[in-house]
Each structure stands twice: as C-alpha cells, then as structure tokens.
Amino acid sequence: MAQHSYSGIKAFETCARKYHDTKVVKLYPREETEATLYGTNLHEQAELFIKDGRPLDDAYKFMQPVMDMLAEMPGRKFPELEMAVTEALVPCGFKDPDYWCRGIADLVVVDDDNFTARVFDYKTGNNKYPDTDQLMLMSLMIFKHFPHVRRITGGLLFVLKNTVSKYKIDRSQEHDLWWRWRERVAKLDAAHHHDRWPEKSSGLCRKYCEVTACHHNGRRS
C-alpha cells in the first residue's frame, strides 16, 4: 500500500518526473538551503514559545504579536501535531506501518467547550499564491483524531509578509473532501502502477529544480 502526505501529492501534481527522480528513486538527495534552514528555525522558535513559553530569539522577535495572539486563544494547544490515518480513515500513530496518509500541523488549538478547533501553518515564503489545501488535509485528520470537533477555522500565517490566508471547514463537508483527496491520491497510485512519470514545465524549472537531467532545467548538466 502506498503511503501519502500533502507535500508528496503536491510535488507529484507539480511535476511527476521531479517527484519520481527525487522521492521514488532518489537520484537527487534533498539539500538544505539558507531558506529551508531559516524556515526550520522559525518553526522551532514558534513551537517552543507555545509549548514551553520560551522567549523568541532576537532574530524572531518580529513574530511576537502573532505568537502572543496564538498563545492567548482559548483551548488546548498542540504545536507540531503529528497525525495519521489508515486507508479506512481510522486514526493511527504517525509512524504506524499501516498509515495511509499523514501530516504535521504547525499548531492546532482545540476548544473542547465549543466543539471547535483552529489550525495554523507558518509560511516564510511569498503570499502571492496561497494554497490552503494543506490545511484541508490537516482539518480532515483533526476531525478523525478529535471526533467531538464540529468546525475548524485557521489559516496560513505568512509571518514575513504579516498576512493571513483564512480557512474554515465544517464537519458536514468531511465526506466530500475525503473523496477529493482520494481522487488526487489515485492519480499518484496510477503513476506508480504504470511507471509513468511525465515531466511538466513551469516557471520553477530553470532556476529551482534539482533534476538537472531534464531538458526543461536551466542548469542541465
């Protein structure tokens, strides 16, 4: 059984060739960049502030108003919450060998008294094309892991731009949205089955793609 995550599905939909070369046969190991290291450090700062109340380092003090707002929200707080479900949509451990899809939510706040939850994802990139589908999958898994929750709100927090892309979902949408996710997963499963990985050109090819063997790549070796 194939196992999935939102980042994997998104990578496949962006370019099946790149997905295959980097994630299936792993011809191009992932390399840390200044941008990815900064994002990792920022997420750690946010996690420790919410979990332990550890003060933000000077380089991240610009996040203080946002972090204070999140910390003051009513409810149980789960920073860097790992969630997974089986193909039957039964909650399971993040490292369970039978997991079907999984993900890590940057912050989940569960308000048990009002049967609601909030989910947030910190973004250090550009806010020009916000993609809230990641929040959709996190929300669907929250519904499974916290069955009393009836409504979820939240958003993508573009901390460097000081903007928010809001998101909301009601439990009545859960069934249809799981089927949309299954449809996306089925296309990746079919690619594995037929071993077909067509390349797809985009504005990311020439500068950002590590698959240098592809003729769309501007750094082709």
Side-chain angles (χ1 to χ4, degrees), residues 82-86 90-101 145:
E82 297 178 340
M83 295 179 289
V85 295
T86 67
V90 176
C92 63
F94 189 76
K95 297 181 180 179
D96 192 306
D98 294 327
Y99 88 84
W100 174 61
C101 71
H145 284 262

Side-chain angles (χ1 to χ4, degrees), residues 71-134:
E72 291 167 4
M73 286 181 174
R76 293 183 287 152
K77 296 174 179 66
F78 301 91
E80 299 299 320
L81 179 62
E82 297 178 340
M83 295 179 289
V85 295
T86 67
E87 192 167 8
L89 304 183
V90 176
C92 63
F94 189 76
K95 297 181 180 179
D96 192 306
D98 294 327
Y99 88 84
W100 174 61
C101 71
R102 68 181 185 181
I104 303 175
D106 290 348
L107 177 63
V108 174
V109 182
V110 179
D111 186 341
D112 299 300
D113 293 336
N114 292 307
F115 309 107
T116 59
R118 298 175 190 257
V119 59
F120 298 99
D121 194 88
Y122 312 121
K123 296 295 184 184
T124 56
N126 197 305
N127 60 352
K128 189 173 182 180
Y129 302 108
D131 179 8
T132 58
D133 280 357
Q134 182 179 4

Side-chain angles (χ1 to χ4, degrees), residues 13-37:
E13 292 172 344
T14 300
C15 178
R17 164 76 183 275
K18 178 179 178 180
Y19 175 90
H20 173 266
D21 287 4
T22 59
K23 295 183 178 294
V24 180
V25 295
K26 300 181 180 178
L27 296 176
Y28 304 90
R30 184 176 183 268
E31 296 182 1
E32 292 286 2
T33 65
E34 185 177 340
T36 58
L37 287 172

